[in-house]
Amino acid sequence: MSPTSSPAAGASLSAARRSRELTEAVGGPLVDVLVVGLGATGAGVALDAAARGLSVVAVDAHDLAFGTSRWSSKLIHGGLRYLASAQLDVAHESAVERGVLMERTAPHLVHAQPFVLPLTPLVSRGQAALAWAGFRAGDTLRLAARTARATLPAPRRLSAVETRHLAPALRSDRLRGGLLSWDGRLTDDARLVTALARTAAARGARVLTRVRALELTASGARVRDELTGEEGVVRARAVVNASGVWAGDLVEGIRIRPSRGTHLVLRSDRIGPLPAGLHVPVPGETNRFVLVLPQGDGRVYVGLTDEPVEGDVPDVPSVPESDVGFLLDVLGSVLDVPVRREDVVGAFAGLRPLLDTTPADRPGAGPRTADVSRRHAVLTSSEGVITVVGGKLTTYRRMAEDAVDAAVAARRLGAGPSPTAGLPLVGAAAPHVLAGLRAPRRLVRRYGTEALAVQALADGDARLGERVLPDHPVTGAELLWAVRHEGALDEADLLDRRTRIGLVPQDRAEALEAVRDLVGRTTAGRD
């Protein structure tokens, strides 16, 4: 893909396109594949099917990345954690998919992230040796996955001085040094989903947000337009349920065991310069860490928990004070000046859609969620609906491929193998091409080659070049781009998913009026 100052052909999602394609889909001709859910997996299924030449309709009751896919740690893991639990197939799959994202499909969105594990008095020499062996094993995984050394540098030991240089906020008292490792890191998980959906749209998929699936059958779904209340039917040869933690609400027999992962949001100046992220060992655990993740936008995330969730699944999970206290306690074990509760300016929680494989008469029994396998599963109901569950953000592409393979085989659809391992997403280009773009580096990391088009909006209107908030880098041009090309329909889409302003309630409130004004002007056709 070559640099351009306009959006990729056919990849623009807008309110007008949604309205037109919804009218065509409901009550329209039979399509090959109907996808329900537009998180990373569902958007990946839509792309995979469309890339094979199949006709596709993909719906979500809310917005792109409304659920779990916007609440992650923004990391593309290489599978190190799964080596420790002898899940070698999951570890290798993760490492392969990490390499695919970093080197082929989304090098503009996924970059190498350094992490420091500080060797404090709380980390015994035996634990340090075990961690070092793990990092070396992780590098072997990189090699087995054929990911280049230039993409992910080798782990190495750090002196105490080097460790403090990469993380000045660390307590220096009896600091023995540190261990440096590398992994993949997303600029933004919701932006990955947006890129997937837009790439699918460029291949002909109809991507329809605010369309709720009320009832699924093997031959389609009854749906409701959440903007108008109108109902209708979308007919399809194959139906894929990719609704994550809500999968069991649409298909009988699917049992999900949600696990809550909580992150705190801090202002960057509270911790100070962080050239690297941190792995902070959880006391009493051999393979669990709290992560400190600098975001480059004036914020730092601290996460995450792994706690089982009982009862009904909410649209937006709440963050209990017990999670906040746990994360602050672990973080405080390594900092020179502990972070206080009042320093936490925001928090978010996501629910991992883990498959419950315990006996039907004992749902939820078995190991704690932290120990439940992250393998994914593709299941076909007695009705013939295909459901894809489990897994994790890193392996969304493989999950999507397996789901479409199942649909093709079950319904004898005329399609070949998946091409998505080598299919660049919207905005992707080789690193040297991205480096040569005449656009701000921050925009390149969020939009890739389309950064030129976003910057052109700002250059053409001084108002659009201004920041929405004084202390946050997002500009009006990015909001306008999201409305015109990324399917944003209202203020919440802009604040909470196309940008991450909404993660801090105070910032969200301050930006709301400006965002509302821009949406109003755009809707009225004045921009």
Side-chain angles (χ1 to χ4, degrees), residues 385-458:
V385 176
I386 295 165
T387 297
V388 54
V389 291
K392 52 198 178 298
L393 180 65
T394 302
T395 58
Y396 81 86
R397 193 206 62 81
R398 180 59 187 272
M399 295 169 66
E401 178 181 336
D402 289 351
V404 178
D405 282 347
V408 168
R411 298 291 179 244
R412 298 182 180 179
L413 303 177
S418 172
T420 56
L423 179 62
L425 302 185
V426 167
H432 73 276
V433 174
L434 296 173
L437 294 177
R438 294 186 176 181
R441 291 300 93 192
R442 192 190 71 84
L443 292 184
V444 174
R445 283 179 170 262
R446 294 179 62 80
Y447 302 93
T449 56
E450 292 188 324
L452 295 171
V454 178
Q455 184 59 36
L457 289 176

Side-chain angles (χ1 to χ4, degrees), residues 422-497:
L423 179 62
L425 302 185
V426 167
H432 73 276
V433 174
L434 296 173
L437 294 177
R438 294 186 176 181
R441 291 300 93 192
R442 192 190 71 84
L443 292 184
V444 174
R445 283 179 170 262
R446 294 179 62 80
Y447 302 93
T449 56
E450 292 188 324
L452 295 171
V454 178
Q455 184 59 36
L457 289 176
D459 293 341
D461 185 336
R463 295 176 305 164
L464 295 176
E466 296 175 356
R467 292 186 173 196
V468 177
L469 289 173
D471 296 326
H472 198 279
V474 169
T475 66
E478 293 173 73
L479 301 181
L480 181 57
W481 179 266
V483 172
R484 286 182 175 176
H485 304 293
E486 295 181 342
L489 300 181
D490 62 18
E491 296 90 347
D493 291 354
L494 292 169
L495 289 167
D496 301 331
R497 289 168 290 277

Side-chain angles (χ1 to χ4, degrees), residues 79-440:
L80 176 59
R81 173 179 177 180
Y82 312 111
L83 281 181
S85 55
Q87 298 180 57
L88 302 183
D89 55 340
V90 180
H92 182 260
E93 181 179 86
S94 297
V96 168
E97 294 303 320
R98 177 183 64 184
V100 167
L101 279 161
M102 296 186 77
E103 296 186 335
R104 283 176 268 171
T105 63
H108 58 313
L109 295 176
V110 187
H111 311 93
Q113 171 68 48
F115 283 97
V116 172
L117 193 165
L119 299 180
T120 70
L122 295 177
V123 180
S124 70
R125 296 191 181 277
Q127 289 174 313
L130 184 62
W132 177 244
F135 292 148
R136 294 294 299 271
D139 195 50
T140 301
L141 268 180
R142 173 205 59 78
L143 180 63
R146 299 184 178 181
T147 302
R149 168 69 72 216
T151 301
L152 282 169
R156 68 182 183 89
R157 300 177 187 272
L158 300 172
S159 68
V161 172
E162 290 175 310
T163 301
R164 285 269 293 172
H165 176 74
L166 290 173
L170 288 174
R171 188 180 304 146
S172 59
D173 182 38
R174 292 191 292 163
L175 181 67
R176 304 194 306 273
L179 303 178
L180 178 68
S181 61
W182 297 78
D183 215 337
R185 179 249 176 118
L186 269 169
T187 299
D188 189 322
D189 46 6
R191 295 213 60 76
L192 173 65
V193 177
T194 300
L196 287 166
R198 294 183 61 221
T199 309
R203 295 275 175 153
R206 293 169 179 159
V207 177
L208 306 173
T209 59
R210 306 304 200 284
V211 176
R212 184 180 298 275
L214 302 172
E215 181 182 358
L216 299 186
T217 69
S219 58
R222 184 166 61 88
V223 301
R224 181 176 67 220
D225 182 351
E226 296 291 80
L227 299 183
T228 66
E230 296 179 3
E231 296 185 10
V233 173
V234 177
R235 300 186 303 126
R237 294 182 176 87
V239 177
V240 178
N241 174 20
S243 53
V245 287
W246 298 280
D249 296 343
L250 292 170
V251 176
E252 290 187 5
I254 302 296
R255 292 188 293 118
I256 304 298
R257 193 176 177 194
S259 167
R260 184 182 63 246
T262 294
H263 292 80
L264 310 181
V265 183
L266 311 175
R267 302 287 189 193
S268 297
D269 56 10
R270 178 58 191 80
I271 292 183
L274 272 180
L278 295 178
H279 280 133
V280 184
V282 175
E285 302 272 358
T286 58
N287 192 39
R288 279 189 70 195
F289 301 90
V290 163
L291 305 177
V292 181
L293 304 159
Q295 297 302 300
D297 63 356
R299 299 172 179 177
V300 174
Y301 300 159
V302 178
L304 73 168
T305 61
D306 200 330
E307 298 295 332
V309 175
E310 306 295 339
D312 295 336
V313 176
D315 283 346
V316 179
S318 59
V319 175
E321 281 298 317
S322 56
D323 284 7
V324 177
F326 165 78
L327 292 171
L328 289 180
D329 285 346
V330 176
L331 178 61
S333 70
V334 298
L335 294 185
D336 194 25
V337 179
V339 174
R340 300 164 298 179
R341 179 62 181 86
E342 54 266 35
D343 296 320
V344 178
V345 295
F348 59 91
L351 301 182
R352 305 174 184 89
L354 305 181
L355 183 64
D356 191 347
T357 58
T358 55
D361 59 346
R362 299 174 60 221
R368 60 180 185 166
T369 53
D371 298 325
V372 175
S373 173
R374 266 47 175 180
R375 289 184 177 90
H376 67 270
V378 177
L379 311 171
T380 302
S381 71
S382 57
E383 285 276 323
V385 176
I386 295 165
T387 297
V388 54
V389 291
K392 52 198 178 298
L393 180 65
T394 302
T395 58
Y396 81 86
R397 193 206 62 81
R398 180 59 187 272
M399 295 169 66
E401 178 181 336
D402 289 351
V404 178
D405 282 347
V408 168
R411 298 291 179 244
R412 298 182 180 179
L413 303 177
S418 172
T420 56
L423 179 62
L425 302 185
V426 167
H432 73 276
V433 174
L434 296 173
L437 294 177
R438 294 186 176 181

